Amino acid sequence: MSMRTPTTNQYNLSLLNLQNVQAQIAQNTQRLTSGNQITSPGDDPAGSASILDFQNSIQANTQFLQQASTANNLLQSAADAFTGAIDGANNLQVLAQQALSTPSTGATSMSSLAAQVGAIQNNLLSLANTQYQGVYVFAGAQTTTQPFTNSGLTYNNGTASGPSDYLNLYVSPTSKVTTNIPGDQAFGTGTGSDLFKAVNDLYNGLTANSQAAVQTASTELTSALNNLYQQQAVVGGRQAGLADLQSSISAINLSLQSAQSGLQTTNIAQTYTNLTSEQTAQQAILSTMAKTNTNNLFNYLT
Amino acid sequence: MPGLTSSMFIGLSGLQAQQSALNVVGNNIANVNTPGYTREVAGMTSNPSQVQGQNYFGSGVSLDSVTSVRDKFLELQLTQATSAQAKYNTLSTGVSVVSSTLGDSTSSGLAAQIQSFFQGFQTLAANPGNSAALTSVVGNAQSMISSFQTNYSLLQQQQAAANQTVGTLVDQVNKLTSQIAQLNQQIVGSDTTGSNNAAVDQRTTLTNQLAQLVGINVIDGGTNGPYQITLDSGAATLVSGTSSFDLAAGGSPGSSTVTSTIVGLPNGGNVTGNITSGQLGAELTLGNTTYAGYESQLNTIATAITTNVNTLNAAGYAAGAAAATGTNFFSGSLAGGTLSVTAAVVGNPALNIATATTANAPGDNTQANAIANLQFATGLVAGITGNFSDAVGHLVSTVGIDSQNFQTQSTTQQNLVSALQTQRDQVSGVSLDEEATNMMQLQTGYQASAHFLNVINGLTAGLITQFGGTAS
């Protein structure tokens, strides 16, 4: 005996199938128009969590790139100051050698050399007080106080110094880079390689027309110059490290973005193919409904 | 030998039976689109034979029953599947409403907002005391709070809606059970031998509607018997014989309750925990468990962030300050609806946002770094091994898994309902082709009976003309 297929049942089943196909069409249309494969977390819970995870990592890395760039700028302003200071110190050394090489220079020449030293001294002072975005670069943690003053050219940061004299920025969740060199260390304040003491001694020696004092100052100057070269190398090393870090974070971000887009972005070819086949199915259902559901025996009774 | 009159009665019985059967066909056709209608068949039997001399002669036909063609087992299965389908459909819709907001992975999503907040401290660390960086920290904090609150209040609104829906559904349940009890009365009270098909159909339809609203167990009292309906857990009776017992909705959003009004039930008739299926079960689950669970996860994350940031902020020094701020960065709580950035912090960020661990050190960024690094600290959120972002990811995947699970269940149950409906319709549905065939058959039968009557009538008339024509 054949199966009974009641009239309403045909309508209901056709309608259910039509609705299913239309729901799929709606979802694929949303995928294509939004560009997102996952239209809500329910589509792919694990995928949604992964996308969020990638997004977080990318956002964190982007911030770290920014931190590294800020750190680099801070270090660059220190490096610029060192370059200027080294130039200045070399010029001073030339002046000292002039004073030493020609013993008969005389008081007048000595005082003219002293005037030149004074000009360079002011220049060095302003370099030691370099600011980046309103912050004194060589002031340790006392970033709002001018570290070197004209009064005897002493380093001011004696009162509130501490471990925070070194300022650090995090450039990854676990690693940090020191963005400053405290002024005492940078210019050898209070040590045998004290730049400003050397300048001061040179100035005084020239003013007093004392070759012995100039000789001592020249030796101090050499030592100060060596310290400056050393500090410049420290800064340069940190900057090189940052550049490596920045390029590796950028590379990681690229691969994270590609992984994320693999999960998130609609596979247009596949989705479009699905959509086309669903549209074909929809047309088939519609045309079948229109043809078969109108047919029954009553059509043929007269 | 039977007489002509007797033959006429045979013809008459044929006419009457075919016409009544046509009436049944007509009724089937008229109800082809009536939901829950069960097709009827006319039961025709030949009348008892009568002995005339040596032979038994038939005495025509009579229509002795109009029976609904139903499979009670299928109908009960359909009732249960309907409950489950309605449940998962409601759950799926309920979760999908909140899933796209909670699962927002764009820069406006909660996860991104939390990260932006901490990144504000990273920027601040590069230049502690910078007023633009300080203002941006406060702004980011307010955006993060508003993102938390948007999600939280969306859940609360959904809970309120669920609570309201529970009330509406309970009203509908009560209406249906009282109608079913009335139909029970009609069916039990009918004294004809056949059953009251229309009332039985209606009762089946109403029972199915009831099953959509709440999971039920139906005990069928047999032909002309009443339906006894209880909650599927058996915790309370809804219809017994000709009486119905109301449910009552109560409680508040997040803790909706349903109680049975039958006196003497345990727990004062509170059957909230016993209703797990149907729309009502789904709304109770959504409001009391699902949304509440998401809220609690959100609240745990918010509390972990605020507590940890507050501790560090109060202990640290503002840039260049001589003493620790002693100020909490955040005040209030998410669950209490009062979470905000402390007024003092908004009013004077330079004095109240900690960036240093030492006094009088405007360049010290140790505390700003420490607060920023909270974003990578693991184990701060209760129950989550990862960091804050992982906790949000966990919440998103919880919502996603719920949504996917309910969607799948809903589809499965929809397929089951559809298969059962097809089976039920194959037994009980009206087929117009079949009715047309029956109609033609009955029409032919009617025409033949009429023709037969015509022949007998002709014979009788001939008899009267030939033998009685001269009686004038």
Side-chain angles (χ1 to χ4, degrees):
Chain A
M1 185 187 147
S2 66
M3 202 172 67
R4 293 184 73 250
T5 42
T7 312
T8 46
N9 198 26
Q10 284 179 34
Y11 285 107
N12 289 341
L13 286 181
S14 318
L15 181 63
L16 189 67
N17 290 329
L18 186 64
Q19 281 168 340
N20 284 342
V21 168
Q22 271 167 346
Q24 283 166 0
I25 288 178
Q27 191 175 34
N28 278 330
T29 307
Q30 200 187 344
R31 282 182 175 151
L32 283 172
T33 51
S34 71
N36 288 337
Q37 179 70 17
I38 300 176
T39 51
S40 87
D43 287 353
D44 182 356
S48 305
S50 298
I51 287 175
L52 208 56
D53 212 24
F54 285 131
Q55 194 88 41
N56 288 336
S57 302
I58 292 168
Q59 198 182 343
N61 283 338
T62 308
Q63 177 69 28
F64 281 131
L65 277 177
Q66 209 176 321
Q67 298 294 96
S69 158
T70 309
N72 195 29
N73 290 342
L74 283 164
L75 288 171
Q76 185 58 45
S77 56
D80 291 346
F82 282 130
T83 310
I86 287 168
D87 275 358
N90 275 326
N91 287 341
L92 287 175
Q93 193 66 287
V94 169
L95 293 177
Q97 293 312 316
Q98 274 181 16
L100 290 174
S101 62
T102 50
S104 57
T105 308
T108 327
S109 302
M110 285 288 214
S111 69
S112 106
L113 289 174
Q116 290 184 47
V117 169
I120 295 175
Q121 196 179 40
N122 280 334
N123 194 17
L124 286 176
L125 183 67
S126 82
L127 285 173
N129 286 328
T130 296
Q131 278 182 296
Y132 175 74
Q133 290 187 340
V135 162
Y136 287 104
V137 173
F138 295 107
Q142 300 301 320
T143 47
T144 49
T145 314
Q146 185 179 330
F148 294 89
T149 54
N150 221 348
S151 56
L153 293 173
T154 48
Y155 180 49
N156 235 353
N157 188 23
T159 49
S161 62
S164 55
D165 273 349
Y166 293 99
L167 303 180
N168 301 309
L169 278 184
Y170 280 84
V171 287
S172 88
T174 48
S175 67
K176 50 192 179 181
V177 63
T178 304
T179 56
N180 73 326
I181 291 181
D184 50 352
Q185 202 183 319
F187 302 102
T189 313
T191 69
S193 44
D194 189 333
L195 176 67
F196 289 108
K197 182 171 182 294
V199 178
N200 228 17
D201 288 351
L202 180 61
Y203 182 81
N204 290 338
L206 288 171
T207 318
N209 198 8
S210 157
Q211 284 207 323
V214 170
Q215 180 63 55
T216 315
S218 169
T219 316
E220 286 174 356
L221 208 50
T222 309
S223 173
L225 202 51
N226 282 340
N227 180 54
L228 285 176
Y229 281 124
Q230 208 180 329
Q231 300 304 328
Q232 195 184 32
V234 169
V235 169
R238 287 183 197 159
Q239 283 187 302
L242 277 176
D244 286 349
L245 186 89
Q246 278 174 307
S247 72
S248 81
I249 292 181
S250 301
I252 292 173
N253 251 5
L254 270 184
S255 64
L256 283 174
Q257 273 161 354
S258 127
Q260 186 203 7
S261 104
L263 275 175
Q264 194 173 24
T265 313
T266 309
N267 180 340
I268 294 184
Q270 194 196 332
T271 312
Y272 198 78
T273 312
N274 290 347
L275 184 67
T276 313
S277 86
E278 280 149 12
Q279 278 173 334
T280 312
Q282 183 196 27
Q283 277 163 7
I285 295 173
L286 285 173
S287 111
T288 312
M289 280 176 84
K291 281 180 184 150
T292 60
N293 285 341
T294 53
N295 279 348
N296 64 55
L297 193 50
F298 282 101
N299 297 359
Y300 300 91
L301 294 183
T302 48
Chain B
M1 195 190 85
L4 282 173
T5 319
S6 149
S7 294
M8 259 184 163
F9 277 109
I10 289 179
L12 176 63
S13 78
L15 281 182
Q16 284 173 336
Q18 313 299 329
Q19 197 212 316
S20 302
L22 268 173
N23 186 288
V24 173
V25 168
N27 191 46
N28 281 343
I29 294 171
N31 282 296
V32 65
N33 290 323
T34 309
Y37 177 76
T38 307
R39 76 187 165 105
E40 295 175 337
V41 290
M44 289 194 269
T45 43
S46 54
N47 289 339
S49 303
Q50 287 165 356
V51 186
Q52 298 277 341
Q54 298 291 312
N55 298 314
Y56 284 94
F57 289 93
S59 59
V61 63
S62 59
L63 188 144
D64 65 352
S65 72
V66 177
T67 327
S68 286
V69 184
R70 65 174 77 246
D71 182 333
K72 292 202 163 175
F73 181 65
L74 268 180
E75 283 177 353
L76 291 183
Q77 267 187 307
L78 190 56
T79 307
Q80 281 162 5
T82 306
S83 284
Q85 202 265 328
K87 169 187 172 182
Y88 287 114
N89 197 23
T90 309
L91 284 174
S92 170
T93 314
V95 172
S96 74
V97 167
V98 297
S99 77
S100 52
T101 311
L102 282 174
D104 187 355
S105 61
T106 65
S107 59
S108 53
L110 179 60
Q113 292 292 329
I114 292 176
Q115 226 170 356
S116 295
F117 166 68
F118 285 109
Q119 286 176 344
F121 274 96
Q122 280 181 294
T123 309
L124 184 62
N127 195 350
N130 179 291
S131 66
L134 287 165
T135 312
S136 138
V137 163
V138 172
N140 286 348
Q142 282 164 338
S143 300
M144 178 181 76
I145 291 173
S146 106
S147 184
F148 266 115
Q149 280 167 342
T150 307
N151 282 302
Y152 201 83
S153 66
L154 173 69
L155 290 167
Q156 283 184 320
Q157 283 162 14
Q158 291 301 315
Q159 276 185 313
N163 187 49
Q164 210 169 4
T165 312
V166 165
T168 317
L169 290 173
V170 163
D171 285 348
Q172 290 176 9
V173 165
N174 292 341
K175 248 176 229 158
L176 285 172
T177 50
S178 107
Q179 284 172 331
I180 292 170
Q182 280 170 20
L183 286 167
N184 267 348
Q185 193 161 19
Q186 283 182 34
I187 291 162
V188 175
S190 63
D191 47 6
T192 54
T193 47
S195 53
N196 188 341
N197 291 330
V200 171
D201 277 352
Q202 212 184 337
R203 187 177 63 178
T204 310
T205 308
L206 292 183
T207 307
N208 260 333
Q209 285 176 15
L210 181 63
Q212 280 189 16
L213 300 182
V214 60
I216 51 171
N217 199 13
V218 181
I219 300 157
D220 187 352
T223 314
N224 289 352
Y227 266 6
Q228 164 124 1
I229 298 178
T230 63
L231 292 176
D232 54 359
S233 56
T237 303
L238 299 178
V239 178
S240 174
T242 56
S243 322
S244 65
F245 303 96
D246 280 356
L247 295 177
S252 54
S255 57
S256 315
T257 57
V258 174
T259 44
S260 168
T261 50
I262 300 175
V263 182
L265 282 177
N267 307 321
N270 188 331
V271 290
T272 315
N274 304 94
I275 299 174
T276 53
S277 203
Q279 281 179 44
L280 187 56
E283 292 291 350
L284 287 171
T285 309
L286 279 174
N288 294 353
T289 314
T290 314
Y291 295 142
Y294 301 159
E295 281 177 9
S296 140
Q297 283 196 39
L298 268 181
N299 194 40
T300 311
I301 298 170
T303 309
I305 292 175
T306 53
T307 317
N308 285 292
V309 171
N310 281 349
T311 309
L312 288 178
N313 195 67
Y317 295 73
T325 65
T327 312
N328 281 338
F329 192 94
F330 295 103
S331 339
S333 72
L334 180 62
T338 54
L339 185 60
S340 64
V341 178
T342 307
V345 174
V346 180
N348 198 343
L351 282 186
N352 292 300
I353 296 180
T355 52
T357 47
T358 46
N360 305 314
D364 182 7
N365 62 4
T366 319
Q367 200 71 341
N369 275 333
I371 295 175
N373 279 348
L374 284 175
Q375 65 181 307
F376 304 109
T378 54
L380 295 181
V381 184
I384 303 286
T385 49
N387 55 34
F388 299 129
S389 301
D390 293 332
V392 177
H394 183 255
L395 174 59
V396 169
S397 75
T398 308
V399 175
I401 289 168
D402 282 352
S403 167
Q404 189 184 41
N405 179 25
F406 295 148
Q407 180 65 48
T408 312
Q409 296 271 19
S410 170
T411 311
T412 312
Q413 294 295 336
Q414 172 70 59
N415 290 341
L416 181 60
V417 167
S418 161
L420 286 169
Q421 187 75 46
T422 304
Q423 279 190 48
R424 185 238 166 232
D425 283 352
Q426 276 168 6
V427 176
S428 307
V430 175
S431 159
L432 287 179
D433 289 336
E434 189 179 51
E435 299 306 329
T437 313
N438 287 343
M439 199 177 78
M440 287 190 294
Q441 227 177 331
L442 293 168
Q443 188 184 9
T444 314
Y446 187 90
Q447 284 166 345
S449 287
H451 198 75
F452 174 73
L453 264 180
N454 194 26
V455 169
I456 301 297
N457 184 37
L459 292 181
T460 313
L463 207 61
I464 291 168
T465 332
Q466 284 175 23
F467 294 102
T470 54
S472 56

